[in-house]
Amino acid sequence: MKTFKLIAHQKHFSEEEIILSSKDFPHVKVRDVVEIYHPDVIGSRILLQVHSLKDDIQTKDTISIEQSIVSLFQLQIFFGVHVTVVDPTSAALDSVELTFKDQYLGRSDMWRLKNCLIGTCLYIGKKLEFCSKSVRCQVHEMWGQGERVACGVITEDTKIVFRSSTSQVYLFLQMSSEMWDFDIYGDLYFEKAVNGFLSELFAKWKRHGSNHEVTIVLFSRIFYEAESLEYFPEAVRACLQQDYRGKFYEDFYRVAVQSERMDDWACILPQLKLLFHGWQNSVLGYHQQNHPGVNIPKGVNSCAAQGNFLEVLNMSLNVFEKHYLDRSFDRTGQLSVVITPGVGVFEVDRELTNITKQRIIDNGVGSDLVCVGEQPLHAVPLLQFHNKRHCAASNDFSMPHWINLSFYSSSKRIGYSTFLPRIKMAPILNKETAQHKNKTAGLLSSKASSAIKVETSMPNSVFDYDAYDAKVFALPVSRTSKVQTLMRESRHRKTTTISSETNRFDRGRGNVRKSRVQDADVSFTSGHPGDGLSSSLISAPTMLSCSLTKTPSVTIPKRSAADDSFIVTCGATAPHARVRRPSGGEERLEDRRFSTLRVVVGSAGSPCALGGNTVTTGANPSTLNFNPSTRQIKTGRALINPFDPSRVTIKLTSNRRRWTHIFPKGPTGVLIQQHHYQAVPASEEKLTSSSFGVNLSSANLDSSSVGGNSNTKGRQRPMNRSLTLLWGATGEQEWTPALTTGVDWKSLTIPACLPITTDYFPDQRSLQNDFLVSEYSIIPDDVNSISVNDCGQQQKLSFRRPLETKEVFLELISQRLSQGFQLIVLPHTYSTHSQEYLLSIGRIFHKIVLKGSTITVTGYRPRHPYPTCNIHYRYRLQTPDHLTYEISWVDFNAEKLENYNWNHLDHYICTRGDRDFALTESLKYWRLRLCVLPTYDCPFTEKILRFLDTCVNRVKHHNPTKKPRPLAPTMFRDRGGSNRIPDRPRPRASLVETKSLHQSSGDHGLSMADNQFSTDECIYSVTRTRVASGSAAIVEAMKSSIGGMTFLEGKINDLPPYTFISYEAVAWLLDQVEGITTERDAIELMQKMIDERHVCHSSGNDKIKFCCGFYLFSLVSDAFSPGCVSENFDCEWAEVEFENSFPPPCASSVLTNPEPAKYQFLIADPKEFRSVASLYENRYDQMLRYKSCNLDMDISGKSERIEWGHLRYQSVFYPDASLEFIFQWVVCTGPLVAELLQNWLRKAQNCGVNLVPIPCDPFALPMSHKADPLRAPVFVPLNISALNWEGRTFFEEYPQDSWPQRLLLFQESIARHFGFLPCSPDPASPTASSRANVRPPLPPLQFIHTSGTAFVLILSSTSNDKNVVHPSPQRPQRTNSNWLPNSAVHSPTDPSLTLSYITRHVVGRQKWQQNQEVRVGFLWAWNSMLSKRWRNPSGPVCDENTGSKLLSDFRKFCANDEDRLKNYWLQALDRMSSVSS
């Protein structure tokens, strides 16, 4: 073979990975894959793809490879290499893992990226770019032919796994009683968790460069020794809950770190240790500290198994399922990690388990359970269901496959022994402990006690386990080297005859009667996958047979015949000839002569179906209990054996296969989890080593090191398409006692995103029997042709190109992927006339077919959906800024995915967001709220006008003399010139500088310095036009080239000639027209000109009134006349009305005088004060008015598809308030939205305003469905009693009916004093929606600080509630029990709930109860979306330290520290007195 000399080139020389000469390689074509290797060096092979062939290479017999690749694969420069063309199928990859960082990558983006990678050659560490370098990722790991490989080719069958280094991570640390126990090395389990696991985890984050957004929460469940609720004082009952055994408990949550990002997390470990040392006192002694002298039952910390494990998962799910709200563009992925000192066994509620399972699977959230206890000898994780019936002979168990389990083992080793115990020995009880436990047990009711006795007793069985134990522990008769296993002997034709009266089936009951919520993944299956879940009471027939498959080394003796009941597992069976057998694969429930059934221990969940001439165990097996008194067999729950789950197979479902494509295939072709290790004898171990960057065929790793089973003899089972193993996340790895589980560091360091593909689809029979079918067709050509024909000629100028049929088809698939669907990969069935895609989420399946110009969507939803269930949960929460635990609540429920309106969304896609198919809240579209704030003390109106002009509407102002200002640091990494997008070409007409406008200190007129025109030009002396000259003369003066008005030049984007902005028109009239002195005069004059048809709105609609702001109006001319209305005009332009933009130079009253405006709460004239209150209320209504327009999300044209979005904005702007914008989209690439946002941020800084993101629900009130349950606002009480002076009380000299309004205005003045501005609440939030139901005189307002770092909420009370200011002794006392809302009585948006929530957040609440007083104050909340990258260097500096100082100063002021509040009150009185005089 010919040898070529290898040289290396730099990337700036050529972007090609490999440069070949077409003369040296005449047989090589573009896109061929070549293998390069040194002939004498082992392990230096690499595969590269040829993208071009050079003809101008001078050196002969030479190839050039990029320098980084040469270094990565340790190739030797100037040495000879062999180059051979490789068949891509021989180098095909099974799976590839890609990692990315500091980006938001949607699932549709992942699918598009995968399609672009098909047919390309990858190698470890290769950097990939997509969408014009907007999407960046890197190859992390590759698997091919069951081995790790260094390079390979991606095919259509290759599974792509995306892993994120910047995810949203919740770390829950369970502070159960075991945390204070010692492990085998003498360390506390807390020390093992923090000093061991967390320390290693944080070190791996730092080493890998992971920068997750982390929240760390410590949680406990406290049980109280009390028989009834009467033992508790009234003040502590608000958060008490009672479990199924009648025991009272409370759950405590302590948020140690909230949504933080750090490069090194080691500094958090001392903080966690500090919380640990004070945990017992703060939690167990919480009520004693807040209620001294009150007798409260003693609290006991629960063990790990009885803790609130599922509750913490659901609290994180309440945040994760709202991922489309408050979208962050520098993180992707969601992960919940629970760190427990237990062993992976939990006692749980069945309904909550089913809700948790459905939510985790549907939302595609990673859930990791890390146990620092010793791994038990049985299979875990194991969920034991609460035995609420108190009559079952055994407990029900479930093995959740949706939890990724890890066991952390300390790196410590004992020098004299290598033995690691797997069982934790029970402690020896002394007399005091035994008496205490007996006393605790005696507190339970007789019913609960009997239930516990039943639970802990040995279940009824046909086997005598005591005799079996005697055989196991007997002295061995002879030495043997074989390991004895717990197996059951085969029992042939064990029959039980029942009286002839019942010797027939009760066919009338049928076998499809549904039970309650089922755990369908823990089951036995026989027959087709569509067999339903059912339970029935059967008058049993005939014979019951039970034969077992294997003979054990030690058999379990049969019990004596004295037992009056028996249990046969897996249901009653008919004669063997009628047993339905699984199709293909393993015959697991049969014998050649008899039906084969196994007896197992534990429970799989729900009953199964029996009846008819065949026996079908549905989704769950069942147990038959024979009652001799009624002569009937009653179906119970089938049992599983946690010590031997490897023999149990269950029905394959889509839920079971949802995450399987993230696992690689091992050497045996079975999916493996790489943190599972199989112990093998030393003689069978293969000690091999593989280096990074070896060739494709030699990248072998020992299978034991990647989780494979090295001892494969008889271990790996053939995979049946309809069956899967019960245990494990993959369903293909068999559990054995020798299987050791380590820590899945990869999942905890770079969490995997939900895979975009799966491989399960129900068979035809199941689709017909168990699903409801819906179908509709879309013909995009017909829909879009109607839209084009309906628009007029003026609308066609701005009409956007409709999507083609193929584009609509692909976008329908993308949208389903974005909403959590997965593509179903099945054996290829090619069709020349149509394209077909299958998708699934949960039990919902979609089939999308493109045939010709018609798209057909077929939906399959379950005939019997899961019943709706809502669980109300109460808990005590303490966030970092809270001084103590406070009550909060949340609801847990699973979303009904079958109710999603896909028909509406598909037509929205087809019409490109037409108003007939607008985005609705139920469509779960992506959104981001933005708030524009002033920087320091500046003329905010002019800055806002400039921002709307240049950024939102992209009107370009021509100013050749202006020097470009340097770009300020932006929120995202600088990507060079690729982020600089061209503005919409709307240049200004040449304009001559007029004489100066109003030069007052307020927002008066249009500043020339901010209007992009140089003041160095000559100023012409012009004659002012009089109002009496008439409208025609004013129009001519506007058109004048000297002293005329500014117009938008030409007919650009269907704008008429002589188009101007209304704000500039008002400024021009104030300056150039005599007789116009106020803003109102200018508006009235312009409206008169509209009525006289001299001026019209630029859309052609003459019904639109003139208003000051960014509104586009045009002079009527021959080219433009009113009446030709453009309906798409408001979809293309964002028009905002300005209120009070030009205040008069002199003010005659407090209403119009800006100096004492913040002291309006002291207005003495009742009539004038009512006017203030009316204006205040009207202003709130105006701030809730929103409009929408289209938003071009891909202004640089980087995407290969058409992308669009919508901009929702406040339609009215006040100069002393903020202005809000909301990005809304469903068809857009995440990094492109980030680039658009970066462009907005850069332009906002140039315009002199501060642009910050804000959350939808900044205060996280628990009555909001969007609230984060682990957030809570900080209540800052206002000490109004300090304002009582000289024998007079607060507001005593004013009428009582005005006290609530005056108090609200007083609080607003305090907020403005600290730099807060009013901002609009989210329209769907409780404070905003309460406006529609209850109309108080002064509604609640929320304020945002000018730095954007914090929010303040002022809640108003009703006018009849005068005791808010002065509490009355005769007022009925409010108790804690009234603070907790009852969902059956109160609406979630009831404002009284918000008021009660505020009054709860008071330190020392017992004083509030004694005084019967509703405290007055503020709710303080941090802006959780404001990171360091958003902070404007030219705006107010407010980092974390400054924000903490701001809160501390605000608290001191409201508490009247150093008489600051009193002095502020006296200063206000002096100012109002001077104004009145």
Side-chain angles (χ1 to χ4, degrees):
M1 184 178 293
K2 188 176 181 179
T3 302
F4 298 86
K5 186 173 72 171
L6 174 65
I7 62 175
H9 64 269
Q10 301 295 330
K11 209 157 196 177
H12 61 80
F13 173 78
S14 175
E15 294 288 337
E16 300 292 340
E17 297 173 351
I18 181 172
I19 301 176
L20 300 179
S21 172
S22 59
K23 299 177 182 178
D24 294 336
F25 299 92
H27 60 286
V28 176
K29 302 185 296 294
V30 176
R31 297 190 64 82
D32 278 353
V33 178
V34 296
E35 182 181 19
I36 302 101
Y37 61 94
H38 293 291
D40 300 329
V41 180
I42 300 176
S44 61
R45 296 172 181 260
I46 180 176
L47 296 178
L48 294 175
Q49 192 169 30
V50 179
H51 295 286
S52 64
L53 294 170
K54 303 295 184 180
D55 298 330
D56 53 352
I57 298 180
Q58 302 298 329
T59 309
K60 190 178 181 181
D61 297 336
T62 303
I63 69 168
S64 179
I65 299 179
E66 202 266 321
Q67 179 63 53
S68 61
I69 303 176
V70 172
S71 303
L72 185 66
F73 284 85
Q74 301 176 3
L75 299 176
Q76 300 178 19
I77 304 178
F78 304 118
F79 278 72
V81 294
H82 288 173
V83 180
T84 58
V85 179
V86 177
D87 183 9
T89 57
S90 64
L93 295 170
D94 293 334
S95 64
V96 176
E97 292 187 357
L98 304 179
T99 59
F100 57 95
K101 185 179 180 180
D102 296 330
Q103 297 177 87
Y104 167 61
L105 208 58
R107 289 173 48 77
S108 64
D109 306 332
M110 298 176 185
W111 179 56
R112 292 159 51 212
L113 174 58
K114 177 193 174 181
N115 293 336
C116 291
L117 293 178
I118 293 177
T120 61
C121 181
L122 302 183
Y123 54 86
I124 290 292
K126 180 177 181 178
K127 293 179 173 58
L128 304 176
E129 295 177 342
F130 172 66
C131 204
S132 299
K133 300 183 180 182
S134 297
V135 178
R136 305 171 310 278
C137 55
Q138 188 174 9
V139 179
H140 177 70
E141 189 175 279
M142 297 185 294
W143 288 74
Q145 301 175 4
E147 301 169 342
R148 276 198 186 99
V149 295
C151 44
V153 179
I154 292 184
T155 65
E156 292 185 356
D157 298 327
T158 303
K159 301 176 180 64
I160 307 293
V161 181
F162 292 88
R163 294 185 176 272
S164 174
S165 298
T166 48
S167 300
Q168 187 177 14
V169 179
Y170 275 75
L171 292 178
F172 296 100
L173 196 60
Q174 185 180 21
M175 304 297 292
S176 60
S177 58
E178 292 91 341
M179 278 295 189
W180 285 262
D181 295 342
F182 293 94
D183 68 350
I184 59 177
Y185 298 111
D187 296 328
L188 291 177
Y189 279 104
F190 179 83
E191 296 174 340
K192 185 178 180 181
V194 174
N195 296 342
F197 170 73
L198 285 181
S199 179
E200 288 190 34
L201 177 64
F202 294 160
K204 290 181 182 294
W205 284 359
K206 183 178 180 180
R207 190 181 313 118
H208 188 272
S210 299
N211 189 19
H212 302 298
E213 182 181 296
V214 182
T215 298
I216 303 178
V217 183
L218 286 70
F219 67 97
S220 279
R221 172 164 290 182
I222 305 300
F223 285 100
Y224 293 100
E225 300 175 358
E227 294 181 356
S228 66
L229 195 63
E230 303 300 327
Y231 285 80
F232 296 91
E234 187 74 19
V236 301
R237 297 181 184 178
C239 203
L240 283 177
Q241 300 186 89
Q242 193 173 14
D243 67 359
Y244 71 104
R245 297 171 296 182
K247 299 182 69 173
F248 294 94
Y249 67 91
E250 277 184 321
D251 291 342
F252 288 82
Y253 295 85
R254 177 70 167 90
V255 181
V257 176
Q258 195 154 46
S259 300
E260 291 287 345
R261 292 190 178 187
M262 298 182 185
D263 296 328
D264 188 2
W265 284 88
C267 60
I268 298 298
L269 300 181
Q271 180 181 347
L272 296 179
K273 296 176 185 177
L274 188 63
L275 292 175
F276 169 75
H277 291 308
W279 186 264
Q280 299 276 22
N281 294 333
S282 63
V283 173
L284 296 178
Y286 168 75
H287 292 298
Q288 283 76 8
Q289 296 172 5
N290 288 334
H291 304 86
V294 180
N295 187 17
I296 298 175
K298 183 180 179 181
V300 179
N301 198 357
S302 71
C303 62
Q306 296 177 343
N308 39 336
F309 168 63
L310 294 183
E311 286 81 356
V312 298
L313 290 180
N314 279 276
M315 295 181 90
S316 62
L317 287 171
N318 274 33
V319 180
F320 291 159
E321 69 182 5
K322 304 296 182 184
H323 61 92
Y324 54 90
L325 301 177
D326 304 334
R327 185 61 256 172
S328 174
F329 295 99
D330 50 5
R331 60 170 169 81
T332 305
Q334 301 166 332
L335 178 66
S336 293
V337 182
V338 180
I339 307 168
T340 174
V343 297
V345 180
F346 298 95
E347 300 176 12
V348 296
D349 179 74
R350 184 184 298 272
E351 291 183 348
L352 183 58
T353 302
N354 289 319
I355 289 177
T356 308
K357 178 189 107 175
Q358 184 178 349
R359 297 180 74 189
I360 287 179
I361 293 176
D362 291 348
N363 290 286
V365 175
S367 299
D368 281 66
L369 174 64
V370 180
C371 300
V372 296
E374 286 71 26
Q375 183 178 354
L377 290 172
H378 58 78
V380 283
L382 189 65
L383 303 182
Q384 177 183 342
F385 295 126
H386 293 162
N387 195 345
K388 298 180 180 180
R389 296 179 297 172
H390 307 305
C391 59
S394 63
N395 293 317
D396 296 344
F397 294 92
S398 174
M399 292 183 182
H401 65 86
W402 34 272
I403 295 178
N404 187 26
L405 178 66
S406 298
F407 276 93
Y408 175 76
S409 299
S410 176
S411 59
K412 294 182 179 180
R413 291 293 179 267
I414 300 176
Y416 57 82
S417 175
T418 59
F419 174 72
L420 295 178
R422 293 277 296 270
I423 299 177
K424 182 182 178 182
M425 302 301 295
I428 300 176
L429 298 180
N430 53 28
K431 292 183 178 180
E432 296 180 358
T433 308
Q435 292 175 359
H436 173 71
K437 287 187 174 293
N438 294 335
K439 180 180 178 181
T440 304
L443 295 176
L444 300 175
S445 61
S446 59
K447 183 176 180 180
S449 299
S450 62
I452 294 176
K453 183 178 180 181
V454 171
E455 289 179 8
T456 56
S457 61
M458 181 65 67
N460 295 330
S461 175
V462 295
F463 299 135
D464 189 349
Y465 287 95
D466 294 334
Y468 169 75
D469 292 341
K471 288 186 179 182
V472 171
F473 295 104
L475 294 176
V477 179
S478 59
R479 181 179 299 272
T480 178
S481 60
K482 294 182 178 180
V483 181
Q484 294 181 346
T485 57
L486 176 61
M487 312 289 284
R488 301 175 184 83
E489 65 175 344
S490 300
R491 298 183 178 274
H492 300 283
R493 299 192 63 83
K494 178 188 179 302
T495 60
T496 302
T497 306
I498 305 178
S499 59
S500 59
E501 291 88 355
T502 60
N503 193 15
R504 60 181 178 272
F505 282 94
D506 185 4
R507 304 176 186 272
R509 295 188 180 272
N511 50 343
V512 293
R513 193 174 63 184
K514 289 289 173 183
S515 64
R516 59 185 182 190
V517 181
Q518 319 266 345
D519 186 1
D521 287 337
V522 183
S523 57
F524 291 85
T525 305
S526 178
H528 64 87
D531 290 333
L533 313 177
S534 61
S535 63
S536 57
L537 183 64
I538 302 174
S539 299
T542 184
M543 299 183 297
L544 305 173
S545 62
C546 177
S547 68
L548 302 172
T549 58
K550 295 183 179 180
T551 303
S553 301
V554 178
T555 59
I556 305 176
K558 180 183 177 182
R559 283 191 184 273
S560 62
D563 294 341
D564 58 355
S565 62
F566 62 91
I567 297 179
V568 180
T569 310
C570 297
T573 63
H576 62 275
R578 297 176 180 174
V579 175
R580 182 181 302 155
R581 301 179 180 181
S583 57
E586 177 192 3
E587 299 180 359
R588 59 183 182 83
L589 291 179
E590 65 172 291
D591 188 82
R592 292 190 179 274
R593 297 181 56 191
F594 316 104
S595 60
T596 304
L597 301 174
R598 282 191 311 278
V599 178
V600 288
V601 182
S603 175
S606 303
C608 69
L610 292 173
N613 294 328
T614 62
V615 176
T616 303
T617 57
N620 298 79
S622 64
T623 302
L624 298 184
N625 294 289
F626 176 66
N627 191 337
S629 61
T630 59
R631 308 295 295 174
Q632 289 182 335
I633 292 179
K634 191 172 184 179
T635 58
R637 298 191 180 277
L639 305 175
I640 64 171
N641 185 1
F643 289 91
D644 191 16
S646 59
R647 312 251 197 280
V648 182
T649 54
I650 62 174
K651 183 181 70 174
L652 190 65
T653 62
S654 58
N655 288 342
R656 199 68 173 85
R657 304 292 295 177
R658 189 154 170 80
W659 279 93
T660 52
H661 281 196
I662 69 169
F663 303 110
K665 285 186 179 181
T668 59
V670 175
L671 299 178
I672 58 175
Q673 288 183 273
Q674 301 181 47
H675 65 293
H676 290 172
Y677 309 98
Q678 184 70 44
V680 295
S683 60
E684 298 184 20
E685 292 183 355
K686 299 178 181 180
L687 301 179
T688 62
S689 61
S690 58
S691 61
F692 184 79
V694 295
N695 62 14
L696 183 64
S697 61
S698 63
N700 299 324
L701 293 175
D702 184 12
S703 58
S704 63
S705 67
V706 295
N709 192 342
S710 295
N711 188 8
T712 58
K713 297 180 180 179
R715 291 295 182 187
Q716 301 299 346
R717 319 171 57 152
M719 183 62 187
N720 189 340
R721 288 296 303 171
S722 62
L723 303 177
T724 183
L725 293 176
L726 169 65
W727 177 84
T730 64
E732 299 183 16
Q733 268 188 298
E734 184 175 329
W735 182 89
T736 65
L739 188 69
T740 302
T741 302
V743 179
D744 192 354
W745 292 114
K746 181 187 290 186
S747 173
L748 298 172
T749 305
I750 42 175
C753 301
L754 179 69
I756 58 178
T757 57
T758 185
D759 53 13
Y760 174 81
F761 190 75
D763 58 13
Q764 191 63 31
R765 182 177 180 182
S766 178
L767 290 177
Q768 294 176 359
N769 296 339
D770 302 332
F771 292 88
L772 298 176
V773 183
S774 61
E775 184 176 292
Y776 58 90
S777 298
I778 301 176
I779 306 178
D781 294 340
D782 293 350
V783 175
N784 293 325
S785 63
I786 296 175
S787 302
V788 173
N789 294 331
D790 287 347
C791 68
Q793 181 64 31
Q794 188 175 3
Q795 293 175 257
K796 288 183 180 180
L797 296 175
S798 61
F799 191 79
R800 298 172 297 170
R801 181 182 76 80
L803 298 179
E804 298 178 356
T805 302
K806 181 68 173 181
E807 293 174 324
V808 175
F809 175 69
L810 295 177
E811 195 56 46
L812 298 190
I813 300 168
S814 295
Q815 290 307 312
R816 282 158 176 78
L817 290 174
S818 299
Q819 296 295 338
F821 275 76
Q822 292 175 294
L823 287 170
I824 302 175
V825 180
L826 296 176
H828 298 288
T829 54
Y830 295 100
S831 174
T832 57
H833 301 288
S834 63
Q835 287 183 275
E836 178 179 304
Y837 282 88
L838 298 175
L839 302 100
S840 70
I841 180 173
R843 298 193 296 165
I844 300 174
F845 300 88
H846 282 189
K847 180 171 67 174
I848 306 178
V849 180
L850 172 61
K851 189 173 183 180
S853 61
T854 303
I855 302 174
T856 303
V857 180
T858 306
Y860 302 91
R861 56 187 177 91
R863 189 179 300 271
H864 302 284
Y866 293 124
T868 56
C869 180
N870 185 80
I871 296 180
H872 185 75
Y873 178 57
R874 293 171 288 174
Y875 56 96
R876 293 192 180 272
L877 173 68
Q878 182 178 0
T879 59
D881 292 302
H882 280 145
L883 302 179
T884 184
Y885 290 92
E886 295 296 343
I887 305 171
S888 190
W889 62 89
V890 69
D891 290 328
F892 301 143
N893 51 68
E895 184 183 2
K896 303 287 289 184
L897 297 178
E898 56 268 20
N899 295 337
Y900 192 94
N901 193 350
W902 283 108
N903 196 335
H904 182 97
L905 182 63
D906 291 345
H907 282 84
Y908 167 87
I909 298 299
C910 184
T911 59
R912 287 194 64 179
D914 188 82
R915 291 189 174 183
D916 294 337
F917 302 97
L919 292 178
T920 60
E921 190 71 23
S922 61
L923 295 181
K924 298 192 297 184
Y925 57 88
W926 283 258
R927 71 203 74 172
L928 174 67
R929 295 181 70 193
L930 299 171
C931 193
V932 183
L933 300 168
T935 55
Y936 301 108
D937 188 12
C938 64
F940 193 28
T941 303
E942 300 173 7
K943 306 295 185 182
I944 286 292
L945 178 67
R946 184 180 173 188
F947 179 76
L948 291 171
D949 203 5
T950 61
C951 181
V952 180
N953 292 289
R954 306 208 321 271
V955 176
K956 187 175 182 180
H957 295 267
H958 180 67
N959 183 15
T961 62
K962 185 179 179 182
K963 298 181 181 180
R965 59 180 295 179
L967 293 178
T970 56
M971 58 168 290
F972 289 101
R973 184 182 307 164
D974 186 14
R975 302 190 187 98
S978 62
N979 289 328
R980 301 176 184 176
I981 59 175
D983 289 318
R984 186 180 300 173
R986 295 173 186 163
R988 292 280 188 173
S990 58
L991 182 68
V992 181
E993 182 66 47
T994 61
K995 70 180 196 176
S996 176
L997 300 180
H998 290 70
Q999 300 297 327
S1000 58
S1001 59
D1003 286 348
H1004 304 166
L1006 192 63
S1007 172
M1008 290 299 102
D1010 296 326
N1011 202 21
Q1012 293 89 27
F1013 291 97
S1014 174
T1015 56
D1016 297 334
E1017 299 179 6
C1018 58
I1019 300 178
Y1020 293 90
S1021 177
V1022 296
T1023 305
R1024 290 166 59 91
T1025 306
R1026 299 176 178 272
V1027 177
S1029 301
S1031 300
I1034 297 177
V1035 169
E1036 293 300 324
M1038 289 180 175
K1039 295 180 180 181
S1040 175
S1041 59
I1042 300 177
M1045 200 170 58
T1046 305
F1047 294 102
L1048 299 181
E1049 179 183 331
K1051 195 171 184 180
I1052 302 173
N1053 277 22
D1054 70 1
L1055 283 180
Y1058 297 109
T1059 299
F1060 57 89
I1061 299 174
S1062 60
Y1063 179 89
E1064 296 178 351
V1066 173
W1068 185 85
L1069 291 175
L1070 289 171
D1071 181 71
Q1072 295 293 332
V1073 179
E1074 293 184 1
I1076 303 298
T1077 58
T1078 64
E1079 177 185 355
R1080 176 54 51 190
D1081 295 339
I1083 294 176
E1084 291 178 354
L1085 176 60
M1086 292 300 301
Q1087 183 59 43
K1088 178 183 177 182
M1089 297 174 66
I1090 291 177
D1091 296 338
E1092 297 175 354
R1093 301 181 71 85
H1094 291 287
V1095 177
C1096 181
H1097 189 262
S1098 299
S1099 65
N1101 188 355
D1102 55 357
K1103 304 298 183 183
I1104 297 179
K1105 303 293 184 181
F1106 185 87
C1107 57
C1108 181
F1110 189 91
Y1111 265 75
L1112 299 180
F1113 287 86
S1114 303
L1115 300 180
V1116 177
S1117 62
D1118 296 337
F1120 172 71
S1121 59
C1124 184
V1125 181
S1126 174
E1127 296 180 358
N1128 291 333
F1129 187 87
D1130 56 345
C1131 295
E1132 300 297 329
W1133 297 90
E1135 296 184 308
V1136 180
E1137 179 182 358
F1138 294 173
E1139 288 286 347
N1140 303 325
S1141 302
F1142 300 91
C1146 59
S1148 58
S1149 67
V1150 178
L1151 283 174
T1152 55
N1153 192 349
E1155 175 62 23
K1158 60 180 181 179
Y1159 305 131
Q1160 293 177 350
F1161 54 91
L1162 294 177
I1163 298 176
D1165 185 6
K1167 183 177 180 181
E1168 189 174 4
F1169 182 79
R1170 284 193 297 269
S1171 300
V1172 170
S1174 177
L1175 291 175
Y1176 191 92
E1177 185 176 0
N1178 179 69
R1179 171 177 177 165
Y1180 181 85
D1181 291 333
Q1182 294 290 331
M1183 291 182 65
L1184 287 179
R1185 290 172 51 189
Y1186 284 82
K1187 294 169 63 177
S1188 296
C1189 67
N1190 295 328
L1191 184 63
D1192 188 4
M1193 311 296 281
D1194 183 22
I1195 49 183
S1196 300
K1198 292 185 176 183
S1199 178
E1200 83 285 0
R1201 63 172 181 174
I1202 297 178
E1203 302 188 357
W1204 71 91
H1206 307 278
L1207 180 67
R1208 193 180 186 200
Y1209 57 94
Q1210 284 180 281
S1211 60
V1212 179
F1213 166 71
Y1214 286 86
D1216 59 344
S1218 62
L1219 183 63
E1220 181 185 343
F1221 297 90
I1222 305 177
F1223 282 14
Q1224 302 173 341
W1225 74 93
V1226 293
V1227 186
C1228 194
T1229 306
L1232 293 183
V1233 184
E1235 290 186 9
L1236 175 63
L1237 201 58
Q1238 180 187 7
N1239 182 267
W1240 273 46
L1241 180 60
R1242 184 175 63 251
K1243 289 189 175 182
Q1245 295 172 3
N1246 294 336
C1247 295
V1249 296
N1250 194 17
L1251 183 68
V1252 297
I1254 58 176
C1256 290
D1257 187 4
F1259 296 94
L1261 299 177
M1263 58 283 303
S1264 171
H1265 70 283
K1266 299 178 181 178
D1268 183 349
L1270 293 174
R1271 289 187 182 273
V1274 180
F1275 180 74
V1276 181
L1278 183 63
N1279 186 11
I1280 58 176
S1281 61
L1283 304 181
N1284 301 331
W1285 63 291
E1286 295 182 358
R1288 293 187 302 173
T1289 57
F1290 189 50
F1291 290 147
E1292 179 179 332
E1293 62 273 19
Y1294 302 104
Q1296 283 193 0
D1297 58 353
S1298 66
W1299 286 354
Q1301 292 90 340
R1302 294 180 186 275
L1303 176 61
L1304 183 61
L1305 292 174
F1306 176 59
Q1307 290 180 260
E1308 180 184 354
S1309 68
I1310 294 176
R1312 289 182 178 275
H1313 178 70
F1314 278 85
F1316 286 89
L1317 297 179
C1319 67
S1320 174
D1322 183 53
S1325 66
T1327 55
S1329 56
S1330 63
R1331 183 78 176 141
N1333 301 326
V1334 180
R1335 189 178 179 85
L1338 293 177
L1341 264 185
Q1342 70 182 30
F1343 295 77
I1344 183 173
H1345 195 260
T1346 52
S1347 64
T1349 189
F1351 297 88
V1352 161
L1353 176 66
I1354 304 173
L1355 191 79
S1356 65
S1357 60
T1358 60
S1359 58
N1360 297 328
D1361 194 4
K1362 307 176 186 61
N1363 294 303
V1364 171
V1365 181
H1366 300 296
S1368 172
Q1370 290 77 24
R1371 186 179 180 187
Q1373 181 177 359
R1374 297 195 181 195
T1375 62
N1376 279 351
S1377 59
N1378 293 332
W1379 294 351
L1380 192 64
N1382 185 351
S1383 57
V1385 178
H1386 298 284
S1387 168
T1389 58
D1390 191 344
S1392 64
L1393 301 184
T1394 314
L1395 178 62
S1396 66
Y1397 190 79
I1398 290 182
T1399 56
R1400 283 208 321 271
H1401 286 77
V1402 181
V1403 180
R1405 192 174 54 252
Q1406 65 277 6
K1407 298 180 181 180
W1408 176 85
Q1409 294 172 349
Q1410 296 170 2
N1411 298 334
Q1412 304 177 11
E1413 176 184 354
V1414 177
R1415 299 291 296 271
V1416 178
F1418 303 86
L1419 280 188
W1420 179 289
W1422 298 107
N1423 188 354
S1424 59
M1425 299 191 64
L1426 188 62
S1427 61
K1428 295 180 180 179
R1429 301 182 180 184
W1430 277 96
R1431 290 179 182 134
N1432 188 352
S1434 61
V1437 178
C1438 193
D1439 53 12
E1440 295 178 2
N1441 295 331
T1442 309
S1444 300
K1445 293 178 181 178
L1446 178 64
L1447 175 59
S1448 177
D1449 188 52
F1450 188 74
R1451 277 174 161 166
K1452 292 179 180 179
F1453 182 91
C1454 295
N1456 195 35
D1457 186 32
E1458 299 179 355
D1459 288 337
R1460 294 174 61 188
L1461 179 63
K1462 184 176 181 180
N1463 293 336
Y1464 179 81
W1465 170 258
L1466 296 177
Q1467 180 183 4
L1469 292 176
D1470 294 341
R1471 286 289 183 88
M1472 293 302 296
S1473 299
S1474 61
V1475 171
S1476 300
S1477 61

